[in-house]
PDB file of all heavy atoms in Angstrom:
ATOM      1  N   TYR H  33       3.607   9.964  -0.177  1.00 97.00           N
ATOM      2  CA  TYR H  33       2.495   9.528  -1.067  1.00 97.00           C
ATOM      3  C   TYR H  33       1.145   9.642  -0.319  1.00 97.00           C
ATOM      4  O   TYR H  33       1.093   9.478   0.907  1.00 97.00           O
ATOM      5  CB  TYR H  33       2.674   8.052  -1.460  1.00 97.00           C
ATOM      6  CG  TYR H  33       4.018   7.690  -1.930  1.00 97.00           C
ATOM      7  CD1 TYR H  33       5.066   7.348  -1.011  1.00 97.00           C
ATOM      8  CD2 TYR H  33       4.386   7.648  -3.266  1.00 97.00           C
ATOM      9  CE1 TYR H  33       6.282   6.987  -1.402  1.00 97.00           C
ATOM     10  CE2 TYR H  33       5.653   7.274  -3.664  1.00 97.00           C
ATOM     11  CZ  TYR H  33       6.629   6.963  -2.719  1.00 97.00           C
ATOM     12  OH  TYR H  33       7.896   6.632  -3.126  1.00 97.00           O
ATOM     13  N   TYR H  35      -2.613   7.760  -0.691  1.00 98.00           N
ATOM     14  CA  TYR H  35      -3.421   6.750  -1.337  1.00 98.00           C
ATOM     15  C   TYR H  35      -4.860   6.800  -0.761  1.00 98.00           C
ATOM     16  O   TYR H  35      -5.043   7.214   0.384  1.00 98.00           O
ATOM     17  CB  TYR H  35      -2.936   5.366  -1.077  1.00 98.00           C
ATOM     18  CG  TYR H  35      -1.609   4.982  -1.656  1.00 98.00           C
ATOM     19  CD1 TYR H  35      -0.412   5.151  -0.990  1.00 98.00           C
ATOM     20  CD2 TYR H  35      -1.560   4.410  -2.943  1.00 98.00           C
ATOM     21  CE1 TYR H  35       0.823   4.734  -1.554  1.00 98.00           C
ATOM     22  CE2 TYR H  35      -0.370   4.015  -3.523  1.00 98.00           C
ATOM     23  CZ  TYR H  35       0.823   4.195  -2.812  1.00 98.00           C
ATOM     24  OH  TYR H  35       2.001   3.799  -3.389  1.00 98.00           O
ATOM     25  N   GLN H  37      -8.081   3.946  -0.173  1.00 97.00           N
ATOM     26  CA  GLN H  37      -8.369   2.513  -0.217  1.00 97.00           C
ATOM     27  C   GLN H  37      -9.869   2.327  -0.084  1.00 97.00           C
ATOM     28  O   GLN H  37     -10.461   2.716   0.917  1.00 97.00           O
ATOM     29  CB  GLN H  37      -7.608   1.767   0.877  1.00 97.00           C
ATOM     30  CG  GLN H  37      -7.781   0.239   0.767  1.00 97.00           C
ATOM     31  CD  GLN H  37      -6.944  -0.513   1.841  1.00 97.00           C
ATOM     32  OE1 GLN H  37      -6.889  -0.070   2.991  1.00 97.00           O
ATOM     33  NE2 GLN H  37      -6.335  -1.582   1.404  1.00 97.00           N
ATOM     34  N   GLY H  40     -12.722  -3.682  -2.105  1.00 85.00           N
ATOM     35  CA  GLY H  40     -12.694  -4.379  -3.367  1.00 85.00           C
ATOM     36  C   GLY H  40     -11.718  -3.822  -4.374  1.00 85.00           C
ATOM     37  O   GLY H  40     -11.546  -4.391  -5.461  1.00 85.00           O
ATOM     38  N   LEU H  41     -11.057  -2.704  -4.052  1.00 88.00           N
ATOM     39  CA  LEU H  41     -10.099  -2.088  -4.959  1.00 88.00           C
ATOM     40  C   LEU H  41      -8.745  -2.060  -4.315  1.00 88.00           C
ATOM     41  O   LEU H  41      -8.666  -1.994  -3.053  1.00 88.00           O
ATOM     42  CB  LEU H  41     -10.539  -0.672  -5.335  1.00 88.00           C
ATOM     43  CG  LEU H  41     -11.876  -0.506  -6.055  1.00 88.00           C
ATOM     44  CD1 LEU H  41     -12.138   0.956  -6.260  1.00 88.00           C
ATOM     45  CD2 LEU H  41     -11.838  -1.246  -7.395  1.00 88.00           C
ATOM     46  N   GLY H  42      -7.708  -2.057  -5.092  1.00 86.00           N
ATOM     47  CA  GLY H  42      -6.371  -1.878  -4.538  1.00 86.00           C
ATOM     48  C   GLY H  42      -6.133  -0.471  -4.107  1.00 86.00           C
ATOM     49  O   GLY H  42      -6.919   0.452  -4.420  1.00 86.00           O
ATOM     50  N   LEU H  43      -5.071  -0.169  -3.380  1.00 94.00           N
ATOM     51  CA  LEU H  43      -4.670   1.146  -3.061  1.00 94.00           C
ATOM     52  C   LEU H  43      -4.505   1.896  -4.350  1.00 94.00           C
ATOM     53  O   LEU H  43      -3.858   1.443  -5.295  1.00 94.00           O
ATOM     54  CB  LEU H  43      -3.387   1.149  -2.254  1.00 94.00           C
ATOM     55  CG  LEU H  43      -3.480   0.586  -0.830  1.00 94.00           C
ATOM     56  CD1 LEU H  43      -2.107   0.218  -0.294  1.00 94.00           C
ATOM     57  CD2 LEU H  43      -4.091   1.692   0.057  1.00 94.00           C
ATOM     58  N   LEU H  45      -3.185   5.573  -5.970  1.00 96.00           N
ATOM     59  CA  LEU H  45      -2.327   6.732  -5.691  1.00 96.00           C
ATOM     60  C   LEU H  45      -3.017   7.999  -6.093  1.00 96.00           C
ATOM     61  O   LEU H  45      -3.479   8.111  -7.247  1.00 96.00           O
ATOM     62  CB  LEU H  45      -0.962   6.586  -6.442  1.00 96.00           C
ATOM     63  CG  LEU H  45       0.041   7.679  -6.183  1.00 96.00           C
ATOM     64  CD1 LEU H  45       0.516   7.611  -4.738  1.00 96.00           C
ATOM     65  CD2 LEU H  45       1.222   7.464  -7.159  1.00 96.00           C
ATOM     66  N   TYR H  48       1.762  12.343  -5.213  1.00 96.00           N
ATOM     67  CA  TYR H  48       3.025  11.950  -4.590  1.00 96.00           C
ATOM     68  C   TYR H  48       3.972  13.132  -4.649  1.00 96.00           C
ATOM     69  O   TYR H  48       3.755  14.120  -5.327  1.00 96.00           O
ATOM     70  CB  TYR H  48       3.633  10.734  -5.265  1.00 96.00           C
ATOM     71  CG  TYR H  48       4.031  11.007  -6.720  1.00 96.00           C
ATOM     72  CD1 TYR H  48       5.319  11.382  -7.030  1.00 96.00           C
ATOM     73  CD2 TYR H  48       3.113  10.841  -7.729  1.00 96.00           C
ATOM     74  CE1 TYR H  48       5.693  11.630  -8.324  1.00 96.00           C
ATOM     75  CE2 TYR H  48       3.434  11.107  -9.046  1.00 96.00           C
ATOM     76  CZ  TYR H  48       4.748  11.474  -9.350  1.00 96.00           C
ATOM     77  OH  TYR H  48       5.098  11.727 -10.647  1.00 96.00           O
ATOM     78  N   PHE H  90      -4.594   6.796   3.187  1.00 98.00           N
ATOM     79  CA  PHE H  90      -3.281   6.423   3.796  1.00 98.00           C
ATOM     80  C   PHE H  90      -2.177   7.326   3.201  1.00 98.00           C
ATOM     81  O   PHE H  90      -2.108   7.528   2.004  1.00 98.00           O
ATOM     82  CB  PHE H  90      -2.938   4.963   3.504  1.00 98.00           C
ATOM     83  CG  PHE H  90      -3.732   3.969   4.286  1.00 98.00           C
ATOM     84  CD1 PHE H  90      -4.777   3.270   3.680  1.00 98.00           C
ATOM     85  CD2 PHE H  90      -3.435   3.739   5.636  1.00 98.00           C
ATOM     86  CE1 PHE H  90      -5.482   2.332   4.427  1.00 98.00           C
ATOM     87  CE2 PHE H  90      -4.169   2.828   6.400  1.00 98.00           C
ATOM     88  CZ  PHE H  90      -5.214   2.139   5.776  1.00 98.00           C
ATOM     89  N   ALA H  98      15.867   5.827  -6.430  1.00 59.00           N
ATOM     90  CA  ALA H  98      15.536   5.038  -7.589  1.00 59.00           C
ATOM     91  C   ALA H  98      16.319   3.758  -7.626  1.00 59.00           C
ATOM     92  O   ALA H  98      17.514   3.781  -7.298  1.00 59.00           O
ATOM     93  CB  ALA H  98      15.796   5.886  -8.865  1.00 59.00           C
ATOM     94  N   GLY H  99      15.681   2.651  -7.957  1.00 62.00           N
ATOM     95  CA  GLY H  99      16.360   1.367  -7.990  1.00 62.00           C
ATOM     96  C   GLY H  99      16.353   0.767  -6.582  1.00 62.00           C
ATOM     97  O   GLY H  99      16.138   1.466  -5.576  1.00 62.00           O
ATOM     98  N   GLY H 100      16.589  -0.517  -6.533  1.00 54.00           N
ATOM     99  CA  GLY H 100      16.599  -1.175  -5.220  1.00 54.00           C
ATOM    100  C   GLY H 100      15.213  -1.212  -4.604  1.00 54.00           C
ATOM    101  O   GLY H 100      14.223  -0.909  -5.252  1.00 54.00           O
ATOM    102  N   SER H 101      15.151  -1.600  -3.383  1.00 70.00           N
ATOM    103  CA  SER H 101      13.916  -1.790  -2.647  1.00 70.00           C
ATOM    104  C   SER H 101      13.465  -0.442  -2.014  1.00 70.00           C
ATOM    105  O   SER H 101      13.867  -0.128  -0.925  1.00 70.00           O
ATOM    106  CB  SER H 101      14.047  -2.849  -1.588  1.00 70.00           C
ATOM    107  OG  SER H 101      12.894  -2.836  -0.747  1.00 70.00           O
ATOM    108  N   ASP H 102      12.670   0.346  -2.724  1.00 84.00           N
ATOM    109  CA  ASP H 102      12.201   1.576  -2.184  1.00 84.00           C
ATOM    110  C   ASP H 102      10.907   1.317  -1.403  1.00 84.00           C
ATOM    111  O   ASP H 102       9.825   1.618  -1.903  1.00 84.00           O
ATOM    112  CB  ASP H 102      11.969   2.604  -3.301  1.00 84.00           C
ATOM    113  CG  ASP H 102      11.695   3.996  -2.774  1.00 84.00           C
ATOM    114  OD1 ASP H 102      12.159   4.272  -1.641  1.00 84.00           O
ATOM    115  OD2 ASP H 102      11.006   4.787  -3.455  1.00 84.00           O
ATOM    116  N   THR H 103      11.088   0.739  -0.235  1.00 91.00           N
ATOM    117  CA  THR H 103       9.924   0.311   0.546  1.00 91.00           C
ATOM    118  C   THR H 103       9.135   1.514   1.059  1.00 91.00           C
ATOM    119  O   THR H 103       9.688   2.450   1.610  1.00 91.00           O
ATOM    120  CB  THR H 103      10.444  -0.517   1.729  1.00 91.00           C
ATOM    121  OG1 THR H 103      11.183  -1.644   1.209  1.00 91.00           O
ATOM    122  CG2 THR H 103       9.241  -1.045   2.534  1.00 91.00           C
ATOM    123  N   GLN H 104       7.870   1.423   0.946  1.00 94.00           N
ATOM    124  CA  GLN H 104       6.951   2.453   1.457  1.00 94.00           C
ATOM    125  C   GLN H 104       6.447   2.040   2.807  1.00 94.00           C
ATOM    126  O   GLN H 104       6.070   0.914   3.038  1.00 94.00           O
ATOM    127  CB  GLN H 104       5.783   2.674   0.473  1.00 94.00           C
ATOM    128  CG  GLN H 104       6.228   3.258  -0.827  1.00 94.00           C
ATOM    129  CD  GLN H 104       5.056   3.565  -1.784  1.00 94.00           C
ATOM    130  OE1 GLN H 104       3.936   3.678  -1.366  1.00 94.00           O
ATOM    131  NE2 GLN H 104       5.376   3.761  -3.051  1.00 94.00           N
ATOM    132  N   PHE H 106       3.638   3.062   5.905  1.00 97.00           N
ATOM    133  CA  PHE H 106       2.353   3.689   5.895  1.00 97.00           C
ATOM    134  C   PHE H 106       1.960   4.283   7.240  1.00 97.00           C
ATOM    135  O   PHE H 106       2.347   3.696   8.306  1.00 97.00           O
ATOM    136  CB  PHE H 106       1.265   2.672   5.513  1.00 97.00           C
ATOM    137  CG  PHE H 106       1.265   2.381   4.020  1.00 97.00           C
ATOM    138  CD1 PHE H 106       2.194   1.504   3.461  1.00 97.00           C
ATOM    139  CD2 PHE H 106       0.313   2.936   3.213  1.00 97.00           C
ATOM    140  CE1 PHE H 106       2.223   1.249   2.093  1.00 97.00           C
ATOM    141  CE2 PHE H 106       0.314   2.701   1.820  1.00 97.00           C
ATOM    142  CZ  PHE H 106       1.246   1.821   1.278  1.00 97.00           C
ATOM    143  N   GLY H 107       1.259   5.381   7.195  1.00 97.00           N
ATOM    144  CA  GLY H 107       0.600   5.916   8.392  1.00 97.00           C
ATOM    145  C   GLY H 107      -0.632   5.123   8.767  1.00 97.00           C
ATOM    146  O   GLY H 107      -1.052   4.239   8.003  1.00 97.00           O
ATOM    147  N   PRO H 108      -1.258   5.436   9.889  1.00 97.00           N
ATOM    148  CA  PRO H 108      -2.387   4.617  10.387  1.00 97.00           C
ATOM    149  C   PRO H 108      -3.694   4.859   9.624  1.00 97.00           C
ATOM    150  O   PRO H 108      -4.631   4.088   9.780  1.00 97.00           O
ATOM    151  CB  PRO H 108      -2.550   5.091  11.816  1.00 97.00           C
ATOM    152  CG  PRO H 108      -1.938   6.471  11.869  1.00 97.00           C
ATOM    153  CD  PRO H 108      -0.841   6.454  10.888  1.00 97.00           C
ATOM    154  N   ARG H 111     -10.068   7.757   8.198  1.00 97.00           N
ATOM    155  CA  ARG H 111     -11.354   7.263   7.612  1.00 97.00           C
ATOM    156  C   ARG H 111     -12.252   8.487   7.463  1.00 97.00           C
ATOM    157  O   ARG H 111     -12.664   9.138   8.409  1.00 97.00           O
ATOM    158  CB  ARG H 111     -11.978   6.263   8.574  1.00 97.00           C
ATOM    159  CG  ARG H 111     -13.270   5.639   8.037  1.00 97.00           C
ATOM    160  CD  ARG H 111     -13.757   4.535   8.959  1.00 97.00           C
ATOM    161  NE  ARG H 111     -12.821   3.426   9.075  1.00 97.00           N
ATOM    162  CZ  ARG H 111     -12.696   2.411   8.241  1.00 97.00           C
ATOM    163  NH1 ARG H 111     -13.564   2.338   7.256  1.00 97.00           N
ATOM    164  NH2 ARG H 111     -11.854   1.473   8.441  1.00 97.00           N
TER     165      ARG H 111
ATOM    166  N   ASN G  30      10.202  -3.050 -11.746  1.00 92.00           N
ATOM    167  CA  ASN G  30      11.316  -2.786 -10.780  1.00 92.00           C
ATOM    168  C   ASN G  30      11.130  -3.474  -9.454  1.00 92.00           C
ATOM    169  O   ASN G  30      11.656  -3.000  -8.446  1.00 92.00           O
ATOM    170  CB  ASN G  30      11.486  -1.255 -10.609  1.00 92.00           C
ATOM    171  CG  ASN G  30      12.185  -0.616 -11.770  1.00 92.00           C
ATOM    172  OD1 ASN G  30      13.324  -0.924 -12.104  1.00 92.00           O
ATOM    173  ND2 ASN G  30      11.480   0.265 -12.444  1.00 92.00           N
ATOM    174  N   PHE G  33       6.375  -6.343  -4.419  1.00 97.00           N
ATOM    175  CA  PHE G  33       6.274  -6.219  -2.965  1.00 97.00           C
ATOM    176  C   PHE G  33       5.064  -6.997  -2.434  1.00 97.00           C
ATOM    177  O   PHE G  33       4.014  -7.102  -3.120  1.00 97.00           O
ATOM    178  CB  PHE G  33       6.084  -4.746  -2.561  1.00 97.00           C
ATOM    179  CG  PHE G  33       7.256  -3.887  -2.832  1.00 97.00           C
ATOM    180  CD1 PHE G  33       7.557  -3.374  -4.100  1.00 97.00           C
ATOM    181  CD2 PHE G  33       8.076  -3.508  -1.756  1.00 97.00           C
ATOM    182  CE1 PHE G  33       8.630  -2.565  -4.280  1.00 97.00           C
ATOM    183  CE2 PHE G  33       9.134  -2.662  -1.970  1.00 97.00           C
ATOM    184  CZ  PHE G  33       9.452  -2.200  -3.223  1.00 97.00           C
ATOM    185  N   TYR G  35       2.673  -6.925   1.120  1.00 98.00           N
ATOM    186  CA  TYR G  35       2.356  -6.252   2.376  1.00 98.00           C
ATOM    187  C   TYR G  35       1.269  -7.055   3.091  1.00 98.00           C
ATOM    188  O   TYR G  35       0.429  -7.697   2.476  1.00 98.00           O
ATOM    189  CB  TYR G  35       1.824  -4.859   2.127  1.00 98.00           C
ATOM    190  CG  TYR G  35       2.901  -3.786   1.831  1.00 98.00           C
ATOM    191  CD1 TYR G  35       3.575  -3.751   0.624  1.00 98.00           C
ATOM    192  CD2 TYR G  35       3.212  -2.837   2.796  1.00 98.00           C
ATOM    193  CE1 TYR G  35       4.554  -2.797   0.400  1.00 98.00           C
ATOM    194  CE2 TYR G  35       4.181  -1.871   2.613  1.00 98.00           C
ATOM    195  CZ  TYR G  35       4.849  -1.854   1.394  1.00 98.00           C
ATOM    196  OH  TYR G  35       5.799  -0.886   1.146  1.00 98.00           O
ATOM    197  N   GLN G  37      -1.977  -6.511   5.793  1.00 97.00           N
ATOM    198  CA  GLN G  37      -2.812  -5.499   6.365  1.00 97.00           C
ATOM    199  C   GLN G  37      -3.915  -6.151   7.222  1.00 97.00           C
ATOM    200  O   GLN G  37      -4.814  -6.805   6.674  1.00 97.00           O
ATOM    201  CB  GLN G  37      -3.500  -4.665   5.241  1.00 97.00           C
ATOM    202  CG  GLN G  37      -4.288  -3.479   5.776  1.00 97.00           C
ATOM    203  CD  GLN G  37      -4.896  -2.636   4.665  1.00 97.00           C
ATOM    204  OE1 GLN G  37      -5.116  -3.097   3.559  1.00 97.00           O
ATOM    205  NE2 GLN G  37      -5.129  -1.381   4.980  1.00 97.00           N
ATOM    206  N   GLY G  40      -8.654  -2.725   9.590  1.00 93.00           N
ATOM    207  CA  GLY G  40      -8.646  -1.437  10.285  1.00 93.00           C
ATOM    208  C   GLY G  40      -7.262  -0.871  10.533  1.00 93.00           C
ATOM    209  O   GLY G  40      -7.163   0.164  11.203  1.00 93.00           O
ATOM    210  N   GLU G  41      -6.251  -1.492   9.981  1.00 96.00           N
ATOM    211  CA  GLU G  41      -4.906  -1.011  10.215  1.00 96.00           C
ATOM    212  C   GLU G  41      -4.196  -0.705   8.919  1.00 96.00           C
ATOM    213  O   GLU G  41      -4.726  -0.862   7.839  1.00 96.00           O
ATOM    214  CB  GLU G  41      -4.086  -2.080  10.970  1.00 96.00           C
ATOM    215  CG  GLU G  41      -4.676  -2.391  12.381  1.00 96.00           C
ATOM    216  CD  GLU G  41      -3.816  -3.386  13.125  1.00 96.00           C
ATOM    217  OE1 GLU G  41      -2.731  -3.762  12.645  1.00 96.00           O
ATOM    218  OE2 GLU G  41      -4.279  -3.759  14.191  1.00 96.00           O
ATOM    219  N   ALA G  42      -2.992  -0.169   9.012  1.00 96.00           N
ATOM    220  CA  ALA G  42      -2.213   0.215   7.864  1.00 96.00           C
ATOM    221  C   ALA G  42      -1.497  -0.987   7.280  1.00 96.00           C
ATOM    222  O   ALA G  42      -1.185  -1.944   7.997  1.00 96.00           O
ATOM    223  CB  ALA G  42      -1.164   1.271   8.224  1.00 96.00           C
ATOM    224  N   PRO G  43      -1.185  -1.015   5.994  1.00 97.00           N
ATOM    225  CA  PRO G  43      -0.348  -2.053   5.386  1.00 97.00           C
ATOM    226  C   PRO G  43       1.016  -1.988   5.991  1.00 97.00           C
ATOM    227  O   PRO G  43       1.604  -0.930   6.252  1.00 97.00           O
ATOM    228  CB  PRO G  43      -0.314  -1.694   3.920  1.00 97.00           C
ATOM    229  CG  PRO G  43      -1.505  -0.811   3.688  1.00 97.00           C
ATOM    230  CD  PRO G  43      -1.673  -0.037   4.965  1.00 97.00           C
ATOM    231  N   THR G  44       1.615  -3.184   6.218  1.00 97.00           N
ATOM    232  CA  THR G  44       3.013  -3.291   6.682  1.00 97.00           C
ATOM    233  C   THR G  44       3.816  -4.126   5.755  1.00 97.00           C
ATOM    234  O   THR G  44       3.327  -5.178   5.222  1.00 97.00           O
ATOM    235  CB  THR G  44       3.085  -3.823   8.148  1.00 97.00           C
ATOM    236  OG1 THR G  44       2.448  -5.122   8.146  1.00 97.00           O
ATOM    237  CG2 THR G  44       2.439  -2.906   9.126  1.00 97.00           C
ATOM    238  N   PHE G  45       5.064  -3.764   5.512  1.00 96.00           N
ATOM    239  CA  PHE G  45       5.912  -4.434   4.532  1.00 96.00           C
ATOM    240  C   PHE G  45       6.258  -5.826   5.002  1.00 96.00           C
ATOM    241  O   PHE G  45       6.624  -6.093   6.124  1.00 96.00           O
ATOM    242  CB  PHE G  45       7.200  -3.568   4.412  1.00 96.00           C
ATOM    243  CG  PHE G  45       8.263  -4.262   3.623  1.00 96.00           C
ATOM    244  CD1 PHE G  45       8.219  -4.368   2.215  1.00 96.00           C
ATOM    245  CD2 PHE G  45       9.399  -4.783   4.206  1.00 96.00           C
ATOM    246  CE1 PHE G  45       9.205  -4.965   1.478  1.00 96.00           C
ATOM    247  CE2 PHE G  45      10.402  -5.382   3.506  1.00 96.00           C
ATOM    248  CZ  PHE G  45      10.316  -5.470   2.115  1.00 96.00           C
ATOM    249  N   TYR G  48      10.183  -8.151  -0.541  1.00 95.00           N
ATOM    250  CA  TYR G  48      10.507  -7.504  -1.857  1.00 95.00           C
ATOM    251  C   TYR G  48      11.323  -8.488  -2.707  1.00 95.00           C
ATOM    252  O   TYR G  48      12.291  -9.075  -2.203  1.00 95.00           O
ATOM    253  CB  TYR G  48      11.299  -6.230  -1.646  1.00 95.00           C
ATOM    254  CG  TYR G  48      11.849  -5.635  -2.890  1.00 95.00           C
ATOM    255  CD1 TYR G  48      11.090  -4.922  -3.800  1.00 95.00           C
ATOM    256  CD2 TYR G  48      13.235  -5.750  -3.193  1.00 95.00           C
ATOM    257  CE1 TYR G  48      11.598  -4.375  -4.951  1.00 95.00           C
ATOM    258  CE2 TYR G  48      13.775  -5.193  -4.321  1.00 95.00           C
ATOM    259  CZ  TYR G  48      12.983  -4.519  -5.220  1.00 95.00           C
ATOM    260  OH  TYR G  48      13.494  -3.971  -6.370  1.00 95.00           O
ATOM    261  N   LEU G  87      -1.438  -7.941   0.431  1.00 98.00           N
ATOM    262  CA  LEU G  87      -1.469  -7.074  -0.759  1.00 98.00           C
ATOM    263  C   LEU G  87      -0.203  -7.287  -1.610  1.00 98.00           C
ATOM    264  O   LEU G  87       0.899  -7.263  -1.082  1.00 98.00           O
ATOM    265  CB  LEU G  87      -1.516  -5.580  -0.333  1.00 98.00           C
ATOM    266  CG  LEU G  87      -2.504  -5.171   0.735  1.00 98.00           C
ATOM    267  CD1 LEU G  87      -2.441  -3.703   0.987  1.00 98.00           C
ATOM    268  CD2 LEU G  87      -3.927  -5.589   0.367  1.00 98.00           C
ATOM    269  N   MET G  91       6.209  -2.719  -8.890  1.00 93.00           N
ATOM    270  CA  MET G  91       6.785  -1.375  -9.175  1.00 93.00           C
ATOM    271  C   MET G  91       7.080  -1.241 -10.671  1.00 93.00           C
ATOM    272  O   MET G  91       7.781  -2.036 -11.246  1.00 93.00           O
ATOM    273  CB  MET G  91       8.062  -1.161  -8.361  1.00 93.00           C
ATOM    274  CG  MET G  91       8.674   0.177  -8.495  1.00 93.00           C
ATOM    275  SD  MET G  91      10.032   0.470  -7.362  1.00 93.00           S
ATOM    276  CE  MET G  91       9.153   0.936  -5.849  1.00 93.00           C
ATOM    277  N   TYR G  95       8.822   3.746 -11.165  1.00 86.00           N
ATOM    278  CA  TYR G  95       9.007   3.494  -9.704  1.00 86.00           C
ATOM    279  C   TYR G  95       7.769   3.775  -8.903  1.00 86.00           C
ATOM    280  O   TYR G  95       7.798   4.122  -7.712  1.00 86.00           O
ATOM    281  CB  TYR G  95      10.220   4.237  -9.142  1.00 86.00           C
ATOM    282  CG  TYR G  95      11.487   3.827  -9.786  1.00 86.00           C
ATOM    283  CD1 TYR G  95      12.024   4.496 -10.877  1.00 86.00           C
ATOM    284  CD2 TYR G  95      12.173   2.668  -9.390  1.00 86.00           C
ATOM    285  CE1 TYR G  95      13.187   4.080 -11.500  1.00 86.00           C
ATOM    286  CE2 TYR G  95      13.308   2.216 -10.018  1.00 86.00           C
ATOM    287  CZ  TYR G  95      13.832   2.963 -11.059  1.00 86.00           C
ATOM    288  OH  TYR G  95      14.995   2.524 -11.678  1.00 86.00           O
ATOM    289  N   GLN G  96       6.583   3.671  -9.565  1.00 88.00           N
ATOM    290  CA  GLN G  96       5.320   3.776  -8.871  1.00 88.00           C
ATOM    291  C   GLN G  96       4.792   2.352  -8.604  1.00 88.00           C
ATOM    292  O   GLN G  96       4.956   1.457  -9.409  1.00 88.00           O
ATOM    293  CB  GLN G  96       4.282   4.517  -9.728  1.00 88.00           C
ATOM    294  CG  GLN G  96       4.705   5.924 -10.083  1.00 88.00           C
ATOM    295  CD  GLN G  96       4.591   6.895  -8.912  1.00 88.00           C
ATOM    296  OE1 GLN G  96       4.182   6.514  -7.820  1.00 88.00           O
ATOM    297  NE2 GLN G  96       4.992   8.128  -9.133  1.00 88.00           N
ATOM    298  N   LEU G  97       4.156   2.172  -7.469  1.00 92.00           N
ATOM    299  CA  LEU G  97       3.545   0.872  -7.089  1.00 92.00           C
ATOM    300  C   LEU G  97       2.197   0.732  -7.670  1.00 92.00           C
ATOM    301  O   LEU G  97       1.362   1.637  -7.532  1.00 92.00           O
ATOM    302  CB  LEU G  97       3.528   0.703  -5.616  1.00 92.00           C
ATOM    303  CG  LEU G  97       4.874   0.439  -4.894  1.00 92.00           C
ATOM    304  CD1 LEU G  97       4.659   0.301  -3.396  1.00 92.00           C
ATOM    305  CD2 LEU G  97       5.483  -0.849  -5.416  1.00 92.00           C
ATOM    306  N   ILE G  98       1.966  -0.404  -8.368  1.00 93.00           N
ATOM    307  CA  ILE G  98       0.603  -0.755  -8.842  1.00 93.00           C
ATOM    308  C   ILE G  98       0.138  -1.873  -7.891  1.00 93.00           C
ATOM    309  O   ILE G  98       0.766  -2.921  -7.753  1.00 93.00           O
ATOM    310  CB  ILE G  98       0.665  -1.283 -10.276  1.00 93.00           C
ATOM    311  CG1 ILE G  98       1.429  -0.313 -11.188  1.00 93.00           C
ATOM    312  CG2 ILE G  98      -0.765  -1.527 -10.774  1.00 93.00           C
ATOM    313  CD1 ILE G  98       0.872   1.094 -11.193  1.00 93.00           C
ATOM    314  N   TRP G  99      -1.040  -1.633  -7.269  1.00 96.00           N
ATOM    315  CA  TRP G  99      -1.512  -2.516  -6.201  1.00 96.00           C
ATOM    316  C   TRP G  99      -2.599  -3.436  -6.611  1.00 96.00           C
ATOM    317  O   TRP G  99      -3.530  -3.029  -7.354  1.00 96.00           O
ATOM    318  CB  TRP G  99      -2.001  -1.663  -5.038  1.00 96.00           C
ATOM    319  CG  TRP G  99      -0.962  -0.829  -4.360  1.00 96.00           C
ATOM    320  CD1 TRP G  99      -0.477   0.384  -4.745  1.00 96.00           C
ATOM    321  CD2 TRP G  99      -0.280  -1.212  -3.153  1.00 96.00           C
ATOM    322  NE1 TRP G  99       0.458   0.835  -3.884  1.00 96.00           N
ATOM    323  CE2 TRP G  99       0.634  -0.139  -2.906  1.00 96.00           C
ATOM    324  CE3 TRP G  99      -0.252  -2.268  -2.327  1.00 96.00           C
ATOM    325  CZ2 TRP G  99       1.515  -0.158  -1.800  1.00 96.00           C
ATOM    326  CZ3 TRP G  99       0.603  -2.287  -1.252  1.00 96.00           C
ATOM    327  CH2 TRP G  99       1.489  -1.201  -0.993  1.00 96.00           C
ATOM    328  N   GLY G 100      -2.551  -4.688  -6.140  1.00 96.00           N
ATOM    329  CA  GLY G 100      -3.697  -5.553  -6.274  1.00 96.00           C
ATOM    330  C   GLY G 100      -4.727  -5.246  -5.205  1.00 96.00           C
ATOM    331  O   GLY G 100      -4.464  -4.460  -4.277  1.00 96.00           O
ATOM    332  N   ALA G 101      -5.920  -5.828  -5.323  1.00 96.00           N
ATOM    333  CA  ALA G 101      -7.052  -5.519  -4.398  1.00 96.00           C
ATOM    334  C   ALA G 101      -6.837  -6.220  -3.061  1.00 96.00           C
ATOM    335  O   ALA G 101      -7.588  -5.914  -2.120  1.00 96.00           O
ATOM    336  CB  ALA G 101      -8.350  -5.872  -5.028  1.00 96.00           C
ATOM    337  N   GLY G 102      -5.881  -7.139  -3.006  1.00 96.00           N
ATOM    338  CA  GLY G 102      -5.623  -7.842  -1.761  1.00 96.00           C
ATOM    339  C   GLY G 102      -6.349  -9.170  -1.642  1.00 96.00           C
ATOM    340  O   GLY G 102      -7.422  -9.359  -2.258  1.00 96.00           O
TER     341      GLY G 102
END
Side-chain angles (χ1 to χ4, degrees):
Chain H
Y33 314 83
Y35 291 95
Q37 187 175 41
L41 299 177
L43 288 161
L45 184 65
Y48 65 93
F90 287 103
S101 170
D102 190 25
T103 302
Q104 294 184 18
F106 285 79
R111 184 174 297 275
Chain G
N30 282 298
F33 291 79
Y35 279 75
Q37 185 177 25
E41 297 183 6
T44 56
F45 170 74
Y48 169 77
L87 313 182
M91 183 172 278
Y95 298 96
Q96 300 287 357
L97 285 178
I98 310 302
W99 295 83

